[in-house]
Amino acid sequence: TWSLDGDQITITYSIDTIRDFIRTLIAAEMEGTVEDVSEVSVDEQLADTYPDADGSVVLRYTLNSVTETELAVTDDEGGSAVLTRKN
């Protein structure tokens, strides 16, 4: 889910979604498949990255620009990203 408040966007991901994302990243780093990634590896990365996660992970971004197909944002640590709409 997501919501807008002023010039901020808040995106809430379920733990299952974050776990799938982490599993995919670990697999890519080790040049393997998601099936090769252990639950222990995912749990460790989840605990390291989101130590306060309790059922969901909430990410907050500052909006830089919005177009019909792209959303450019900056996170609380100054990192930026451009999110592209999928058809």
Side-chain angles (χ1 to χ4, degrees), residues 57-76:
V57 172
V58 177
L59 304 174
R60 289 180 184 80
Y61 299 98
T62 300
L63 296 174
N64 296 330
S65 66
V66 179
T67 69
E68 188 174 311
T69 58
E70 292 184 341
L71 174 68
V73 297
T74 303
D75 65 23
D76 293 337

Side-chain angles (χ1 to χ4, degrees), residues 15 18 22 43-57:
I15 288 296
I18 293 296
I22 289 171
D43 290 341
E44 289 173 351
Q45 186 65 45
L46 182 63
D48 288 346
T49 307
Y50 303 106
D52 299 327
D54 185 27
S56 63
V57 172

